[in-house]
Amino acid sequence: MNPGTNSTTDEEPDAYRLPTSVRPHAYRLVLTPDLAAATFSGDVEIDVTIEERTSAITLNAAELEIAFVELNDSDPDRGYALSPTAINLDADEERATVTFAQPLEPGAATLHLVFTGILNDKLHGFYRSTFTDDAGVEQTVATTQMESTDARRAFPCWDEPELKATFEVTLVIDDALAAYSNGSVTEESPEPGGKHRVRFAPTMKMSTYLVAFIVGPLEATNPLEVDGVPLRIVHRPGQGHLTSFALTVGAHALRFFSAYFGIPYPADKLDLVAIPDFAFGAMENLGCVTFRESLLLVDPAQAARVELERIADVVCHEIAHMWFGDLVTMKWWNGIWLNEAFATFMEVLAVDAFRPEWQRWVSFGVEREAAMAVDGLHTTRPVEFHVGRPEEAQGMFDVLTYQKGGSVLRMLEQFVGPDVFREGINDYLVTHSHGNTETSDLWDALERSSGRAVRTIMDTWINQGGYPLVRLAEDGSLAQVPFSYSGSPGGAIGSGWLVPLLTRTLDAEDTYSSPILLGTKRTASVALDDGSPGQLINAGGSGYYRVSYPPAMVERLATGFVDLAPLERYNLISDTWAASLAGQAPLADLLRLARALVESGEGDPSVWSVLLGALGLFDRIVPGPDRPVTAGAVRTLLGPLARDLGWDPRDDDGERTAALRASVLRTLGTIGDDPEIQSEAARRFAHAGTAVLHPDTESAILEVVASQGGADEYEAILTRYRAPTNPQEENRYLYALASFVDPQLADRTFELAMTEVRTQNAPFLLQSLLANRVTGPTIWRRVTDDWDTLVTKFPSNILPRMLDGVRGLCNPPELADEVTEFVVGHPLPTGGRTVEQILERLAVNVAFGEREGATLAATLAGAMERSPG
Ligand SMILES: [Zn+2]
């Protein structure tokens, strides 16, 4: 299996689909979990239609033992009850086939199965999660994660998104426990043996991957009524004080989406459930959304702004799915990208409406850049690709689906206009409610609302990898070429796009010109004669492409930097940096813009983040003896800004100043090697003791302290990690452990990742350890030594994230060769394209180092001399 590849296959497109002779309509499922034994028993009645004469029924089942099967006539007068002659379980195909002595005639019937299964530790299907309560006792929660194809581990079912049905869940649980599922509780009744039975209302018709049930010693907040929808947060005991922010965001999202989509919320209640062990960020189970704790539970007074934004994002993302995904669902897994891209787009739109002052579309530029950084590689992939075996869809859960997909939808929305876009979305959701769709159904709806050739435009963005570089020539003509970090197109990078271009004049009026659709055959042009004030391409900044300007225009933009919108400034600097990294523009262009940032008093953290990221790579490729020169350049660039910002929040801080303050202090204290910053960070850390550092700067202070610290600081940070007051603090202290440069301390952190740290976090901790410039190479050896253990221990779907840390191991180049050889020789079962992309990014960094490393110190020193800072 090679997930994420776009290879066409000789097999029929439905080779992996269940036979269609029998279709399910309604499941009545009773489950009795035994948390102590980590097992469960189940009983399910499935109303089906036999569509054509058949003597066998095939459905999905994995890691289940089926003890009893009977097929009952749905007509009690005719009333047959057939027992099968054979029940065959195919472990590889994860299917159960029930065979009967004589053929079954078409018509309605009910399939009854009795089965048992295990509560696994792999964070998929019906699984076990644990936590230690206030009395120090380990408590167990049984919970579910069905997407993509793990409902079959919890109960036998037709586990394909198109086979929608209703689900009526009943859970038989210990009296001390609570139970949650998709519907509201309709009935509770006692059972023998200290148990009781909890019955939930049937769901609407939906896909199996959206079923959820959770049993454990959990609590729920009182319901908050949001226009008739009861909204609750479910959490472990003692965390009720961390629920108010998610309730506020959840209520906003319910109202925002009901209004935007023009369709009422499709379930009868909404629970947002915090799960101690959770592989992904969150999961959009209808009416019962599950989250990792750090993305739901928060004390706003103890949280950094960026942490609050992340929670608002995830809550809005999941609630958007209740309509887009749950009410209207993709036919097959190739459509997963649209599901996720759309939820990503809607999450930003909803958060932007929640707190306009956060300027969420500006910070989305940083996320879009994460996609463009991958999408400019030969090893990129088209957003949509053929999925045969459902596991291949695992390769879709990446930046190209979420961030590129979300970005191209934003580009389209800005091109056709927000109202027209929304009309098309409404048309699509109303037309296909409770049904399943292909991607083209959305384009058709948007064509109806906009009158534009949406399908033709979007096919160029969705069916091929990569994106264009739009070149503005001195005569005002515009043309596109594919952008590539290796300097030449190839691999999966496409060859031409229909580019929706927005442009505006750079004068006092800032007039937007009519939108241009730039194709490959003809060039377009803008007015750019001698007397022209100049033209900004990608006006507003929402286009998913890069722009290059003639030198005179670059100078014009650099001097008028402050007149551009933040996202436009962001694009200018990120496009320039990408061109340098790709070897298509001199580093001097980037450094010219760095001076413009300083001179204009740039205050936007996203705009600065491009430069700070570039400085991080400089720090890796510079030869050791030149390091003081680079560090000095960093201090020259950032010193005045740091003095200006200070360490503590101030009354005149803008909404995003805190984030900028944290990044500037972090960069100066680490790669800037600034002794003043380092000693002040140490002073604040020592002084804080058990008190709380300011949440916005805490991570930065910890990172600076750790990068200079020894065993005492390590113990102090580890102790706080082990006894956090909230999930965000736990994360800040955990990841700070990866910043120590002492090899023995790095080793200790590696051991922690292998033992104590939850498997939902350990791969990310290893990623941070590998990304540490000093200890990364040593940790890499440990990773290779313990490879087999790592691969079996951690959830397979987040393992490739661990390897993301190796793309900084570019110096010396021999180390990069060693890394590449090992990774190629040890393919991860779910790695596929993602791992190839990490290796290509490593190669791009190596090439940049070989090109610029030796002269970098001189280049930087020269640029700084011209700086007034
Ligand atoms: Zn999603």
Side-chain angles (χ1 to χ4, degrees):
M1 183 184 86
N2 185 15
T5 57
N6 189 36
S7 59
T8 46
T9 142
D10 295 326
E11 286 146 320
E12 289 295 304
D14 61 355
Y16 300 107
R17 307 290 288 266
L18 290 167
T20 53
S21 47
V22 179
R23 286 177 176 273
H25 300 291
Y27 293 76
R28 288 175 298 281
L29 173 66
V30 181
L31 285 164
T32 308
D34 181 337
L35 273 51
T39 59
F40 61 90
S41 57
D43 183 303
V44 65
E45 289 176 0
I46 312 170
D47 294 341
V48 299
T49 302
I50 299 164
E51 305 270 358
E52 55 198 60
R53 231 172 105 95
T54 175
S55 56
I57 299 178
T58 300
L59 68 171
N60 292 112
E63 295 171 357
L64 295 177
E65 287 191 18
I66 298 175
F68 170 86
V69 182
E70 193 173 77
L71 186 76
N72 300 296
D73 194 326
S74 62
D75 178 355
D77 295 335
R78 213 168 44 197
Y80 62 77
L82 296 176
S83 296
T85 52
I87 307 169
N88 289 312
L89 289 170
D90 181 335
D92 289 340
E93 294 297 324
E94 303 181 340
R95 286 177 180 183
T97 298
V98 183
T99 311
F100 296 89
Q102 70 268 45
L104 311 166
E105 295 304 325
T110 299
L111 184 67
H112 182 195
L113 301 106
V114 178
F115 56 94
T116 55
I118 50 159
L119 296 172
N120 67 71
D121 287 317
K122 291 290 184 181
L123 315 191
H124 66 190
F126 199 12
Y127 72 90
R128 230 170 66 94
S129 172
T130 58
F131 66 90
T132 307
D133 68 14
D134 288 344
V137 179
E138 188 180 79
Q139 300 285 350
T140 303
V141 176
T143 185
T144 52
Q145 168 62 41
M146 306 307 199
E147 194 179 19
S148 301
T149 56
D150 292 313
R152 62 189 67 175
R153 292 177 208 283
F155 58 101
C157 56
W158 277 261
D159 200 8
E160 295 181 0
E162 197 176 357
L163 296 168
K164 285 190 170 186
T166 59
F167 297 84
E168 185 179 341
V169 174
T170 299
L171 295 165
V172 180
I173 62 171
D174 290 353
D175 284 338
L177 303 178
Y180 306 89
S181 185
N182 305 93
S184 357
V185 174
T186 54
E187 193 186 335
E188 293 201 58
S189 54
E191 287 277 314
K195 287 179 180 290
H196 65 289
R197 174 176 288 258
V198 185
R199 190 149 107 205
F200 298 89
T203 65
M204 68 177 185
K205 261 183 74 185
M206 65 175 199
S207 306
T208 46
Y209 80 91
L210 298 168
V211 173
F213 25 87
I214 300 140
V215 174
L218 300 176
E219 292 175 355
T221 60
N222 288 327
L224 174 69
E225 290 291 328
V226 185
D227 300 339
V229 179
L231 170 69
R232 300 186 300 180
I233 311 294
V234 178
H235 54 86
R236 54 165 122 157
Q239 296 192 326
H241 64 293
L242 303 176
T243 55
S244 64
F245 183 73
L247 279 171
T248 306
V249 179
H252 161 78
L254 279 171
R255 292 195 177 102
F256 180 85
F257 293 127
S258 307
Y260 185 93
F261 297 133
I263 298 174
Y265 172 69
D268 63 358
K269 57 89 183 172
L270 177 57
D271 289 333
L272 308 179
V273 188
I275 304 291
D277 299 278
F278 199 80
F280 301 99
M283 176 64 209
E284 67 265 26
N285 317 299
L286 181 76
C288 189
V289 181
T290 42
F291 292 77
R292 51 171 68 199
E293 291 181 330
S294 62
L295 294 177
L296 187 67
L297 303 176
V298 68
D299 174 355
Q302 307 282 326
R305 164 62 56 77
V306 291
E307 291 164 346
L308 289 176
E309 282 183 26
R310 183 82 189 105
I311 291 168
D313 281 353
V314 177
V315 169
C316 288
H317 178 106
E318 302 308 324
I319 295 178
H321 274 311
M322 299 296 111
W323 287 262
F324 206 106
D326 293 10
L327 181 63
V328 178
T329 313
M330 67 276 167
K331 271 198 170 70
W332 185 244
W333 298 109
N334 61 319
I336 249 301
W337 81 266
L338 182 59
N339 194 23
E340 295 305 348
F342 193 82
T344 302
F345 168 81
M346 287 310 304
E347 119 196 3
V348 183
L349 199 67
V351 172
D352 191 49
F354 177 61
R355 293 284 184 267
E357 64 276 19
W358 288 358
Q359 299 196 30
R360 190 60 186 81
W361 284 113
V362 178
S363 53
F364 185 64
V366 181
E367 289 150 47
R368 181 185 59 200
E369 186 61 29
M372 295 178 92
V374 170
D375 205 20
L377 303 170
H378 285 184
T379 51
T380 187
R381 62 163 178 86
V383 170
E384 180 162 340
F385 56 82
H386 173 83
V387 173
R389 197 169 263 282
E391 299 90 291
E392 291 169 19
Q394 288 298 347
M396 276 194 183
F397 292 92
D398 68 359
V399 288
L400 296 172
T401 283
Y402 288 76
Q403 280 76 24
K404 177 179 181 179
S407 299
V408 297
L409 288 174
R410 172 66 168 171
M411 176 166 68
L412 180 65
E413 184 229 20
Q414 294 292 296
F415 184 61
V416 300
D419 293 338
V420 167
F421 185 82
R422 175 172 156 174
E423 234 172 81
I425 298 299
N426 179 259
D427 172 2
Y428 167 84
L429 288 176
V430 168
T431 308
H432 300 286
S433 279
H434 304 290
N436 293 79
T437 56
E438 306 273 11
T439 301
S440 53
D441 294 323
L442 178 64
W443 306 152
D444 292 346
L446 286 165
E447 290 199 348
R448 285 194 292 274
S449 71
S450 70
R452 287 181 179 274
V454 171
R455 191 197 275 236
T456 319
I457 297 171
M458 294 308 280
D459 279 353
T460 69
W461 296 94
I462 299 308
N463 295 338
Q464 60 183 346
Y467 52 86
L469 171 69
V470 174
R471 283 188 176 138
L472 175 63
E474 287 183 20
D475 64 356
S477 65
L478 288 159
Q480 59 166 302
V481 291
F483 178 84
S484 161
Y485 281 104
S486 66
S488 62
I493 295 176
S495 53
W497 292 263
L498 284 171
V499 190
L501 281 181
L502 299 177
T503 65
R504 67 176 168 87
T505 57
L506 287 166
D507 56 15
E509 276 84 44
D510 285 346
T511 319
Y512 269 67
S513 317
S514 307
I516 301 169
L517 198 57
L518 178 68
T520 48
K521 300 220 171 66
R522 277 176 303 147
T523 59
S525 62
V526 292
L528 206 66
D529 49 54
D530 281 349
S532 143
Q535 288 276 344
L536 186 80
I537 313 302
N538 199 359
S542 296
Y544 186 81
Y545 50 84
R546 299 194 189 282
V547 181
S548 86
Y549 293 95
M553 269 295 296
V554 174
E555 193 50 37
R556 162 81 183 77
L557 290 166
T559 37
F561 199 65
V562 74
D563 298 329
L564 304 180
L567 192 53
E568 294 167 344
R569 303 200 294 273
Y570 179 87
N571 288 346
L572 183 60
I573 190 162
S574 62
D575 291 351
T576 306
W577 167 227
S580 288
L581 186 57
Q584 295 169 22
L587 210 44
D589 286 3
L590 178 72
L591 298 172
R592 169 69 189 92
L593 289 175
R595 290 207 309 280
L597 258 66
V598 174
E599 286 160 13
S600 65
E602 178 62 58
D604 188 280
S606 301
V607 179
W608 273 105
S609 71
V610 179
L611 186 65
L612 303 187
L615 294 175
L617 184 58
F618 294 175
D619 186 46
R620 289 175 182 273
I621 61 158
V622 74
D626 290 352
R627 185 169 302 283
V629 184
T630 353
V634 171
R635 292 195 297 273
T636 308
L637 260 179
L638 301 181
L641 180 60
R643 281 190 288 280
D644 205 36
L645 291 167
W647 286 77
D648 297 306
R650 288 199 310 235
D651 292 344
D652 62 344
D653 274 358
E655 282 293 327
R656 308 182 71 219
T657 307
L660 178 61
R661 179 178 290 123
S663 343
V664 168
L665 292 175
R666 171 187 281 119
T667 307
L668 272 172
T670 52
I671 60 181
D673 201 18
D674 186 320
E676 268 176 56
I677 300 285
Q678 288 162 351
S679 67
E680 179 60 13
R683 190 191 69 77
R684 284 172 179 256
F685 177 74
H687 190 253
T690 54
V692 179
L693 290 160
H694 193 276
D696 278 312
T697 41
E698 184 165 37
S699 278
I701 290 177
L702 294 179
E703 193 175 326
V704 174
V705 167
S707 69
Q708 301 290 309
D712 291 348
E713 288 80 8
Y714 192 93
E715 283 309 325
I717 291 176
L718 180 59
T719 306
R720 277 293 280 278
Y721 158 65
R722 284 173 168 159
T725 54
N726 58 63
Q728 291 71 35
E729 187 182 273
E730 180 178 1
N731 278 348
R732 284 178 226 140
Y733 280 80
L734 173 62
Y735 293 107
L737 292 173
S739 295
F740 286 87
V741 296
D742 178 304
Q744 279 179 332
L745 296 176
D747 250 11
R748 270 187 78 182
T749 307
F750 183 87
E751 289 300 328
L752 281 177
M754 299 297 284
T755 51
E756 180 181 327
V757 176
R758 287 184 189 275
T759 59
Q760 67 167 8
N761 293 331
F764 297 100
L765 181 61
L766 291 176
Q767 177 193 323
S768 302
L769 275 173
L770 286 167
N772 183 314
R773 183 184 61 82
V774 183
T775 60
T778 337
I779 293 299
W780 170 248
R781 308 253 138 68
R782 295 228 42 189
V783 165
T784 58
D785 289 347
D786 287 359
W787 185 258
D788 293 342
T789 316
L790 288 167
V791 170
T792 45
K793 186 175 168 58
F794 299 137
S796 61
N797 40 30
I798 50 176
L799 253 185
R801 309 285 185 90
M802 171 186 83
L803 284 179
D804 198 55
V806 307
R807 65 186 156 86
L809 299 178
C810 55
N811 190 14
E814 300 74 50
L815 174 62
D817 292 343
E818 210 180 288
V819 169
T820 303
E821 195 184 327
F822 182 90
V823 173
V824 169
H826 295 77
L828 288 173
T830 56
R833 252 322 132 92
T834 306
V835 173
E836 290 172 26
Q837 289 156 356
I838 292 166
L839 294 179
E840 190 178 343
R841 293 184 78 180
L842 173 61
V844 168
N845 289 342
V846 169
F848 180 73
E850 288 179 337
R851 233 173 25 243
E852 304 282 353
T855 54
L856 184 64
T859 311
L860 279 175
M864 291 313 115
E865 270 165 29
R866 288 192 293 277
S867 167

